[in-house]
Amino acid sequence: MSALMATLHTNARDLSGLRTGRLLVSHPSKRDADGHVMWHCICDCGKTKDIASNSLTRKKPVQSCGCMNATTAQVKRLIDGPWNEAKSYVIRDG
Ligand SMILES: [Zn+2]
């Protein structure tokens, strides 16, 4: 257990070094209002974000600072484009 973990008086799981998606967990930063330990995470895009431990250990953990969602939305639009054209083509033919 790191000195900072001891400082936070936490017996929470040490998530240092954990990687979920684009995020690399660095160190515990603080406790949130509910007493959950917040972890300082470094995203592959270069941003950093403090994320609650339960958001990192749940079945579908947070996987980016938010940039992954933006990318996914862009990809979805690209996939939806051709599909919509195909649909209208079928309708015109019918
Ligand atoms: Zn990011």
Side-chain angles (χ1 to χ4, degrees):
M1 184 180 285
S2 71
L4 187 51
M5 288 287 284
T7 302
L8 287 168
H9 298 293
T10 178
N11 53 9
R13 195 172 138 203
D14 186 354
L15 302 178
S16 302
L18 177 75
R19 175 170 276 277
T20 71
R22 294 183 180 185
L23 289 175
L24 180 64
V25 181
S26 177
H27 57 265
S29 59
K30 62 188 177 187
R31 282 179 181 274
D32 70 9
D34 295 325
H36 297 125
V37 176
M38 302 291 288
W39 290 84
H40 188 76
C41 299
I42 303 165
C43 185
D44 282 352
C45 75
K47 290 183 181 174
T48 60
K49 190 170 186 176
D50 288 341
I51 298 175
S53 56
N54 57 335
S55 295
L56 292 164
T57 56
R58 64 191 183 197
K59 277 187 180 175
K60 290 186 176 178
V62 175
Q63 297 199 332
S64 77
C65 69
C67 62
M68 187 180 276
N69 290 341
T71 305
T72 304
Q74 283 171 359
V75 170
K76 190 173 187 304
R77 273 201 298 276
L78 288 176
I79 293 171
D80 283 352
W83 182 82
N84 285 332
E85 283 178 28
K87 185 182 175 189
S88 59
Y89 175 78
V90 169
I91 292 170
R92 277 202 303 274
D93 255 15

